[in-house]
Amino acid sequence: MTTTSGTFDVARIREDFPLLKQTVNGKPLVYLDNAATSQKPQSMIDALVRYYTTENSNVHRGVHTLSQLATDDYEAARTKVRKFINAAEDHELIYVRGTTEGINLVAQTFGRQNIGQGDEIIISTMEHHSNIVPWQILCEEKGAQLKVVPINDSGELLIDEYEKLLSPRTKLVSIVHQSNALGTINPMEAIIEMAHSRGVPVLVDGAQSIPHMTIDVQKMGCDFFVFSGHKLFGPTGIGILYGKAEYLNAMPPYQAGGEMIRSVSFEKTTYNVLPHKFEAGTPNIAGAIGLGAAIDYLNDLGMERINTYEKELLDYGTDCLSRIEGLKIIGTAKEKGGILSFVLGDIHPHDIGTILDTQGIAIRTGHHCAQPVMQRFGIPATARASLAFYNTKAEIDSLVEGIDRVLEVFS
Amino acid sequence: MSQLPDVPLDGLYGDAIMDHYRNPRRRSPLPNADIESHELNPFCGDEITLRMKLGADGRVEAVSSVSQGCSIIQASASMMAELMTGQMLSALKERSQKFRSMMRGESLAEDDLKGLGDLLALLVVRRYPVRIKCALLPWLALEEGIEKMASDGVRLYPKNEGI
Ligand SMILES: Cc1ncc(COP(=O)(O)O)c(C=O)c1O
């Protein structure tokens, strides 16, 4: 078993993830469901334990020592996120529950403020439901229209069609960076440039891209970027909405309550400054600190090295799976991240998932909250193996053996 | 930790289920049915269309059960179709309820178990909680069909048994 790739010592790295050591159904766990959620390094888990054991208190409220410590760590985590995605200012980062809440926040504030009757929002065929439904609801409320960029048979966005859809009525473009169902990595810089040349802002759903590549929001040029901590080796219930200050400042508040106000009287309430304006109520303090710890961990490994290793793993997986007779990979874009979505003859993905599970192999089966993608390919569901940097070629070999077992059962 | 037996798949893909999956019964769509019902599980695309034709005595005279999806829904749909012919809707409704409580993990009386016949092969699905709904979908279609019949005033019970 080779788990060392260049200087990327995967065997060593796996030691950092306690959950990966367990057996499932009597077999060593092969965790290939990283696009759903990722596993957690011990240092991240320790940060949560340390916070609750030694520091737990509310932020931005107390003058006492613990509250000060908690506030410092909570805000230090924000700075870590800023550096991680190269945002210009800490206050451009809003803590939210995850990608879903980030998109809903923008829809309910920026969207309700700027999108009206006859206006248009552009999304794509490969969006996760969380980047479709909030816009549909907004469009219904405002009498606006959703325009959808089509994709080709490889699962690549048709950029020419996108350009044609941009019109004077377009008020926002909201596109996924890396598709969770297909793995396609979209050319965000080009997409953003075309929108900006017409004065249209762009939201990027970064849920699936940020765990696997270096993100530089200033270089990319996006106006909003959202992601979930739990897919980035951090805790559940925490995520980030990045927005350019000019937009965030102009947007009305999302939720109302404590923390987001500057002064309240029954006659008039004035809102707090960024980022607090969008962080009503006691936030997920431990979550933010855990996210910061996950980012520390990733910085130690290096996103470039992670990306290089994962590419190698994806190439290996693509090659192995392509050799299996009757197996068809759904999503074969030239620019692609570590997602292997496939169908296997007429064997239903549920059956594949169950048989693999008995061998300790965890994959996802279903429509992956991307039903329009399934419709585009004329299938009800796929089986999906999604990779992270702690996966190995040996695990891909186990997946292949598992699929062979599926074929045996259904032969 | 492990909820599954060490023997892989312990019967989930056993002979009875695979036989019904590979050779589904009553699969050609019934023309001029008296009632049609349809169920869909949007999460996985499992789908069933059930059609029934009733005889003058109120018994099921013909049935078609066309399902799409995994092996479990297809086997369950086929097994269900096979035992429907000649039955009163009241008896089918009762059997459906028995089957559902069996799948929910309730223990059934000896006689009830016997009455389930081939369906007993689906008992193994209980070990795979996420798959139970696959086995139940055809029965939801059956119960929906029976409801529709009842609301149309169709006789569910044999003569002299009363309602
Ligand atoms: C591309 C994409 N967008 C959005 C989401 C939603 O993320 P969350 O459920 O963490 O809010 C997901 C999660 O599956 C995703 O893959």
Side-chain angles (χ1 to χ4, degrees):
Chain A
M1 185 165 105
T2 47
T3 49
T4 310
S5 174
T7 52
F8 203 73
D9 187 350
V10 183
R12 231 311 280 109
I13 286 166
R14 290 178 69 85
E15 291 293 314
D16 298 335
F17 290 79
L19 187 137
L20 296 178
K21 293 177 190 136
Q22 63 184 304
T23 56
V24 167
N25 299 319
K27 304 281 167 57
L29 168 66
V30 175
Y31 187 77
L32 295 172
D33 195 15
N34 295 288
T37 198
S38 57
Q39 297 307 336
K40 318 304 176 195
Q42 188 64 52
S43 58
M44 192 299 277
I45 300 167
D46 289 344
L48 297 179
V49 172
R50 188 192 57 83
Y51 167 72
Y52 279 123
T53 318
T54 65
E55 216 166 71
N56 178 53
S57 54
N58 214 326
V59 288
H60 296 304
R61 304 199 178 172
V63 292
H64 62 80
T65 306
L66 288 188
S67 173
Q68 197 52 55
L69 285 175
T71 305
D72 289 349
D73 279 356
Y74 176 74
E75 290 304 329
R78 201 189 304 269
T79 306
K80 289 176 189 179
V81 176
R82 172 179 58 77
K83 290 183 178 152
F84 192 62
I85 65 171
N86 194 33
E89 304 284 350
D90 280 8
H91 62 246
E92 293 180 314
L93 299 147
I94 313 295
Y95 286 124
V96 289
R97 272 195 302 136
T99 309
T100 303
E101 190 180 45
I103 297 173
N104 276 278
L105 190 159
V106 176
Q108 291 303 313
T109 57
F110 173 87
R112 294 179 84 172
Q113 192 176 45
N114 294 291
I115 291 160
Q117 179 83 28
D119 287 342
E120 293 171 359
I121 300 169
I122 297 180
I123 60 170
S124 85
T125 305
M126 68 176 96
E127 300 309 320
H128 187 277
H129 293 167
S130 61
N131 197 24
I132 303 174
V133 186
W135 307 119
Q136 276 176 331
I137 292 174
L138 180 70
C139 285
E140 196 151 303
E141 180 187 318
K142 297 289 187 173
Q145 264 204 32
L146 209 54
K147 297 282 173 186
V148 183
V149 185
I151 57 177
N152 65 19
D153 290 342
S154 308
E156 293 166 321
L157 216 64
L158 300 178
I159 292 292
D160 293 349
E161 298 299 318
Y162 162 66
E163 192 160 22
K164 281 187 221 153
L165 286 178
L166 282 164
S167 85
R169 288 182 299 276
T170 311
K171 287 289 148 53
L172 181 73
V173 172
S174 190
I175 302 266
V176 70
H177 193 183
Q178 176 176 318
S179 153
N180 67 315
L182 301 167
T184 312
I185 297 171
N186 288 315
M188 294 321 302
E189 288 185 28
I191 289 171
I192 291 164
E193 210 177 287
M194 286 180 197
H196 282 181
S197 69
R198 293 160 175 86
V200 179
V202 179
L203 183 152
V204 177
D205 171 353
Q208 295 294 343
S209 60
I210 195 166
H212 308 289
M213 62 182 81
T214 304
I215 298 291
D216 181 333
V217 290
Q218 295 189 80
K219 182 155 170 277
M220 191 189 285
C222 56
D223 304 282
F224 300 102
F225 187 95
V226 283
F227 66 91
S228 303
H230 71 97
K231 293 183 201 278
L232 191 68
F233 316 97
T236 54
I238 189 79
I240 293 287
L241 162 66
Y242 157 80
K244 282 185 184 156
E246 55 181 292
Y247 284 107
L248 293 177
N249 275 321
M251 279 151 53
Y254 176 49
Q255 291 180 339
E259 190 67 35
M260 54 76 70
I261 47 84
R262 175 170 287 159
S263 73
V264 176
S265 72
F266 288 113
E267 288 71 41
K268 178 149 181 68
T269 292
T270 50
Y271 302 128
N272 207 337
V273 294
L274 292 178
H276 312 293
K277 180 170 107 179
F278 292 106
E279 292 180 0
T282 299
N284 185 352
I285 305 165
I289 292 171
L291 176 59
I295 287 175
D296 286 340
Y297 181 84
L298 290 170
N299 283 334
D300 281 349
L301 285 184
M303 290 311 291
E304 292 300 328
R305 289 168 70 222
I306 288 175
N307 189 258
T308 306
Y309 174 72
E310 286 183 4
K311 273 198 181 123
E312 185 185 320
L313 209 54
L314 175 65
D315 286 346
Y316 182 74
T318 306
D319 192 46
C320 292
L321 291 197
S322 309
R323 287 168 205 267
I324 299 174
E325 203 163 325
L327 186 146
K328 182 165 180 253
I329 294 178
I330 305 293
T332 48
K334 273 186 227 81
E335 291 297 324
K336 198 183 150 175
I339 302 260
L340 290 159
S341 236
F342 61 92
V343 291
L344 189 60
D346 59 2
I347 305 172
H348 194 275
H350 263 182
D351 288 319
I352 301 171
T354 297
I355 295 174
L356 292 179
D357 182 53
T358 60
Q359 296 167 80
I361 303 169
I363 61 155
R364 169 111 188 246
T365 62
H367 55 54
H368 317 295
C369 297
Q371 282 179 340
V373 174
M374 301 297 126
Q375 285 152 17
R376 169 64 178 75
F377 287 93
I379 48 179
T382 72
R384 179 189 72 186
S386 52
L387 310 173
F389 57 79
Y390 43 61
N391 289 127
T392 63
K393 289 186 182 169
E395 287 182 308
I396 297 206
D397 294 341
S398 301
L399 172 67
V400 171
E401 280 164 35
I403 296 172
D404 284 344
R405 177 88 179 93
V406 174
L407 289 168
E408 234 168 73
V409 172
F410 280 83
S411 66
Chain B
M1 158 83 236
S2 169
Q3 305 119 337
L4 300 181
D6 214 30
V7 188
L9 301 170
D10 196 37
L12 183 60
Y13 297 94
D15 293 345
I17 289 180
M18 289 309 269
D19 177 48
H20 278 271
Y21 167 64
R22 292 201 168 103
N23 313 296
R25 327 293 201 256
R26 316 270 186 275
R27 208 179 151 82
S28 341
L30 193 65
N32 51 50
D34 294 316
I35 195 96
E36 176 177 306
S37 54
H38 178 253
E39 287 288 337
L40 169 74
N41 178 352
F43 284 101
C44 56
D46 277 358
E47 200 168 352
I48 167 137
T49 304
L50 182 69
R51 290 181 178 177
M52 289 182 258
K53 192 163 174 49
L54 299 187
D57 59 355
R59 289 177 193 276
V60 175
E61 196 175 83
V63 58
S64 72
S65 165
V66 183
S67 61
Q68 256 125 44
C70 67
S71 57
I72 305 303
I73 182 185
Q74 298 207 41
S76 180
S78 167
M79 289 173 182
M80 182 184 86
E82 194 167 47
L83 57 75
M84 284 173 62
T85 322
Q87 301 286 331
M88 291 302 295
L89 296 181
S90 55
L92 286 175
K93 188 170 173 181
E94 198 175 308
R95 194 173 296 203
S96 179
Q97 282 159 355
K98 292 252 164 63
F99 177 69
R100 291 214 279 151
S101 50
M102 172 180 97
M103 294 309 286
R104 275 199 305 268
E106 290 163 28
S107 47
L108 295 186
E110 192 89 353
D111 279 357
D112 288 337
L113 281 176
K114 271 197 206 123
L116 288 171
D118 262 11
L119 289 173
L120 282 178
L122 290 172
L123 238 150
V124 65
V125 179
R126 294 202 313 208
R127 294 170 191 243
Y128 303 83
V130 295
R131 305 297 297 279
I132 291 174
K133 62 181 187 307
C134 312
L136 291 182
L137 204 68
W139 300 81
L140 293 180
L142 172 60
E143 292 188 23
E144 186 201 306
I146 295 173
E147 288 291 307
K148 280 193 196 165
M149 290 293 214
S151 64
D152 284 357
V154 168
R155 185 157 45 85
L156 300 188
Y157 294 84
K159 278 207 177 89
N160 308 325
E161 263 182 35
I163 295 223

